[in-house]
PDB file of all heavy atoms in Angstrom:
ATOM      1  N   VAL A 119       9.798  30.540   8.125  1.00 97.00           N
ATOM      2  CA  VAL A 119      11.056  31.128   7.684  1.00 97.00           C
ATOM      3  C   VAL A 119      10.881  32.619   7.450  1.00 97.00           C
ATOM      4  O   VAL A 119       9.766  33.102   7.202  1.00 97.00           O
ATOM      5  CB  VAL A 119      11.554  30.465   6.375  1.00 97.00           C
ATOM      6  CG1 VAL A 119      11.773  28.967   6.574  1.00 97.00           C
ATOM      7  CG2 VAL A 119      10.595  30.718   5.234  1.00 97.00           C
ATOM      8  N   ASN A 124      15.786  30.691   1.153  1.00 97.00           N
ATOM      9  CA  ASN A 124      15.550  29.516   0.312  1.00 97.00           C
ATOM     10  C   ASN A 124      15.175  28.348   1.218  1.00 97.00           C
ATOM     11  O   ASN A 124      15.699  28.226   2.330  1.00 97.00           O
ATOM     12  CB  ASN A 124      16.801  29.160  -0.490  1.00 97.00           C
ATOM     13  CG  ASN A 124      17.281  30.308  -1.367  1.00 97.00           C
ATOM     14  OD1 ASN A 124      16.462  31.048  -1.924  1.00 97.00           O
ATOM     15  ND2 ASN A 124      18.590  30.467  -1.477  1.00 97.00           N
ATOM     16  N   SER A 130       8.415  11.684   0.901  1.00 97.00           N
ATOM     17  CA  SER A 130       8.892  10.324   0.660  1.00 97.00           C
ATOM     18  C   SER A 130       7.698   9.406   0.449  1.00 97.00           C
ATOM     19  O   SER A 130       6.615   9.645   1.003  1.00 97.00           O
ATOM     20  CB  SER A 130       9.754   9.828   1.822  1.00 97.00           C
ATOM     21  OG  SER A 130       9.011   9.799   3.016  1.00 97.00           O
ATOM     22  N   PHE A 131       7.901   8.386  -0.351  1.00 95.00           N
ATOM     23  CA  PHE A 131       6.822   7.455  -0.661  1.00 95.00           C
ATOM     24  C   PHE A 131       7.358   6.033  -0.586  1.00 95.00           C
ATOM     25  O   PHE A 131       8.547   5.786  -0.833  1.00 95.00           O
ATOM     26  CB  PHE A 131       6.206   7.747  -2.030  1.00 95.00           C
ATOM     27  CG  PHE A 131       7.206   8.025  -3.114  1.00 95.00           C
ATOM     28  CD1 PHE A 131       7.645   7.012  -3.949  1.00 95.00           C
ATOM     29  CD2 PHE A 131       7.709   9.310  -3.300  1.00 95.00           C
ATOM     30  CE1 PHE A 131       8.567   7.271  -4.946  1.00 95.00           C
ATOM     31  CE2 PHE A 131       8.633   9.583  -4.302  1.00 95.00           C
ATOM     32  CZ  PHE A 131       9.078   8.554  -5.123  1.00 95.00           C
ATOM     33  N   ASP A 133       6.234   3.046  -2.196  1.00 89.00           N
ATOM     34  CA  ASP A 133       6.280   2.231  -3.402  1.00 89.00           C
ATOM     35  C   ASP A 133       6.903   3.055  -4.524  1.00 89.00           C
ATOM     36  O   ASP A 133       6.310   4.014  -4.992  1.00 89.00           O
ATOM     37  CB  ASP A 133       4.865   1.785  -3.794  1.00 89.00           C
ATOM     38  CG  ASP A 133       4.850   0.840  -4.992  1.00 89.00           C
ATOM     39  OD1 ASP A 133       5.918   0.650  -5.621  1.00 89.00           O
ATOM     40  OD2 ASP A 133       3.782   0.302  -5.301  1.00 89.00           O
ATOM     41  N   LYS A 148      -9.251  26.288   1.056  1.00 88.00           N
ATOM     42  CA  LYS A 148      -9.361  26.322  -0.403  1.00 88.00           C
ATOM     43  C   LYS A 148      -9.015  24.975  -1.009  1.00 88.00           C
ATOM     44  O   LYS A 148      -8.559  24.058  -0.335  1.00 88.00           O
ATOM     45  CB  LYS A 148      -8.418  27.389  -0.976  1.00 88.00           C
ATOM     46  CG  LYS A 148      -8.630  28.784  -0.417  1.00 88.00           C
ATOM     47  CD  LYS A 148      -9.970  29.345  -0.837  1.00 88.00           C
ATOM     48  CE  LYS A 148     -10.124  30.775  -0.354  1.00 88.00           C
ATOM     49  NZ  LYS A 148     -11.443  31.363  -0.733  1.00 88.00           N
ATOM     50  N   SER A 158       7.850   9.969 -14.246  1.00 88.00           N
ATOM     51  CA  SER A 158       8.815   9.027 -13.668  1.00 88.00           C
ATOM     52  C   SER A 158      10.153   9.048 -14.411  1.00 88.00           C
ATOM     53  O   SER A 158      11.195   8.710 -13.836  1.00 88.00           O
ATOM     54  CB  SER A 158       8.244   7.613 -13.676  1.00 88.00           C
ATOM     55  OG  SER A 158       7.941   7.212 -15.003  1.00 88.00           O
ATOM     56  N   THR A 164      10.978  22.545 -13.157  1.00 96.00           N
ATOM     57  CA  THR A 164      11.126  23.899 -12.629  1.00 96.00           C
ATOM     58  C   THR A 164       9.985  24.766 -13.114  1.00 96.00           C
ATOM     59  O   THR A 164       9.554  24.661 -14.262  1.00 96.00           O
ATOM     60  CB  THR A 164      12.462  24.510 -13.068  1.00 96.00           C
ATOM     61  OG1 THR A 164      13.526  23.711 -12.532  1.00 96.00           O
ATOM     62  CG2 THR A 164      12.602  25.928 -12.566  1.00 96.00           C
ATOM     63  N   LEU A 168      10.213  27.755  -8.161  1.00 97.00           N
ATOM     64  CA  LEU A 168      10.024  26.408  -7.648  1.00 97.00           C
ATOM     65  C   LEU A 168      10.811  25.394  -8.469  1.00 97.00           C
ATOM     66  O   LEU A 168      10.840  25.474  -9.697  1.00 97.00           O
ATOM     67  CB  LEU A 168       8.539  26.024  -7.686  1.00 97.00           C
ATOM     68  CG  LEU A 168       7.564  26.951  -6.992  1.00 97.00           C
ATOM     69  CD1 LEU A 168       6.144  26.418  -7.144  1.00 97.00           C
ATOM     70  CD2 LEU A 168       7.907  27.129  -5.535  1.00 97.00           C
ATOM     71  N   SER A 171      12.423  17.939  -7.451  1.00 97.00           N
ATOM     72  CA  SER A 171      13.266  16.833  -7.908  1.00 97.00           C
ATOM     73  C   SER A 171      12.615  15.515  -7.533  1.00 97.00           C
ATOM     74  O   SER A 171      11.805  15.457  -6.604  1.00 97.00           O
ATOM     75  CB  SER A 171      14.651  16.925  -7.263  1.00 97.00           C
ATOM     76  OG  SER A 171      14.558  16.704  -5.868  1.00 97.00           O
ATOM     77  N   LEU A 172      12.979  14.490  -8.259  1.00 96.00           N
ATOM     78  CA  LEU A 172      12.421  13.166  -8.000  1.00 96.00           C
ATOM     79  C   LEU A 172      13.526  12.120  -8.064  1.00 96.00           C
ATOM     80  O   LEU A 172      14.265  12.051  -9.040  1.00 96.00           O
ATOM     81  CB  LEU A 172      11.344  12.828  -9.034  1.00 96.00           C
ATOM     82  CG  LEU A 172      10.771  11.409  -8.985  1.00 96.00           C
ATOM     83  CD1 LEU A 172      10.061  11.155  -7.662  1.00 96.00           C
ATOM     84  CD2 LEU A 172       9.816  11.175 -10.162  1.00 96.00           C
ATOM     85  N   SER A 175      14.223   5.755  -7.111  1.00 91.00           N
ATOM     86  CA  SER A 175      14.841   4.593  -6.478  1.00 91.00           C
ATOM     87  C   SER A 175      14.854   4.696  -4.961  1.00 91.00           C
ATOM     88  O   SER A 175      14.724   3.693  -4.251  1.00 91.00           O
ATOM     89  CB  SER A 175      16.261   4.401  -7.003  1.00 91.00           C
ATOM     90  OG  SER A 175      17.050   5.543  -6.719  1.00 91.00           O
ATOM     91  N   THR A 180      11.843  16.348  -3.500  1.00 97.00           N
ATOM     92  CA  THR A 180      12.005  17.594  -2.763  1.00 97.00           C
ATOM     93  C   THR A 180      11.418  18.733  -3.583  1.00 97.00           C
ATOM     94  O   THR A 180      11.453  18.710  -4.811  1.00 97.00           O
ATOM     95  CB  THR A 180      13.474  17.915  -2.463  1.00 97.00           C
ATOM     96  OG1 THR A 180      14.183  18.052  -3.694  1.00 97.00           O
ATOM     97  CG2 THR A 180      14.109  16.833  -1.619  1.00 97.00           C
ATOM     98  N   SER A 186      11.977  32.969  -0.837  1.00 97.00           N
ATOM     99  CA  SER A 186      10.584  32.866  -0.393  1.00 97.00           C
ATOM    100  C   SER A 186       9.957  34.232  -0.104  1.00 97.00           C
ATOM    101  O   SER A 186      10.630  35.193   0.293  1.00 97.00           O
ATOM    102  CB  SER A 186      10.508  31.985   0.858  1.00 97.00           C
ATOM    103  OG  SER A 186      11.298  32.535   1.889  1.00 97.00           O
ATOM    104  N   CYS A 196       2.339  16.793  -1.468  1.00 96.00           N
ATOM    105  CA  CYS A 196       2.812  15.986  -2.586  1.00 96.00           C
ATOM    106  C   CYS A 196       1.905  14.769  -2.709  1.00 96.00           C
ATOM    107  O   CYS A 196       1.297  14.333  -1.724  1.00 96.00           O
ATOM    108  CB  CYS A 196       4.277  15.585  -2.451  1.00 96.00           C
ATOM    109  SG  CYS A 196       4.640  14.297  -1.278  1.00 96.00           S
ATOM    110  N   GLY A 202       1.526   2.154  -9.603  1.00 64.00           N
ATOM    111  CA  GLY A 202       1.871   2.201 -11.006  1.00 64.00           C
ATOM    112  C   GLY A 202       1.327   3.425 -11.719  1.00 64.00           C
ATOM    113  O   GLY A 202       1.580   4.550 -11.348  1.00 64.00           O
ATOM    114  N   PHE A 209      -2.066  11.219  -1.020  1.00 95.00           N
ATOM    115  CA  PHE A 209      -1.474  12.479  -0.596  1.00 95.00           C
ATOM    116  C   PHE A 209      -0.734  12.333   0.720  1.00 95.00           C
ATOM    117  O   PHE A 209      -1.117  11.553   1.598  1.00 95.00           O
ATOM    118  CB  PHE A 209      -2.566  13.538  -0.405  1.00 95.00           C
ATOM    119  CG  PHE A 209      -3.112  14.091  -1.678  1.00 95.00           C
ATOM    120  CD1 PHE A 209      -4.100  13.404  -2.370  1.00 95.00           C
ATOM    121  CD2 PHE A 209      -2.656  15.296  -2.182  1.00 95.00           C
ATOM    122  CE1 PHE A 209      -4.613  13.917  -3.551  1.00 95.00           C
ATOM    123  CE2 PHE A 209      -3.168  15.810  -3.359  1.00 95.00           C
ATOM    124  CZ  PHE A 209      -4.141  15.116  -4.043  1.00 95.00           C
ATOM    125  N   THR A 213       3.093  20.054   4.257  1.00 97.00           N
ATOM    126  CA  THR A 213       3.957  20.914   5.061  1.00 97.00           C
ATOM    127  C   THR A 213       3.345  22.295   5.057  1.00 97.00           C
ATOM    128  O   THR A 213       3.143  22.893   3.999  1.00 97.00           O
ATOM    129  CB  THR A 213       5.381  20.985   4.487  1.00 97.00           C
ATOM    130  OG1 THR A 213       6.008  19.701   4.592  1.00 97.00           O
ATOM    131  CG2 THR A 213       6.214  22.013   5.243  1.00 97.00           C
TER     132      THR A 213
END
Side-chain angles (χ1 to χ4, degrees):
Chain A
V119 300
N124 302 323
S130 61
F131 44 94
D133 184 352
K148 304 293 184 181
S158 59
T164 298
L168 305 179
S171 67
L172 174 63
S175 60
T180 61
S186 59
C196 75
F209 285 82
T213 294

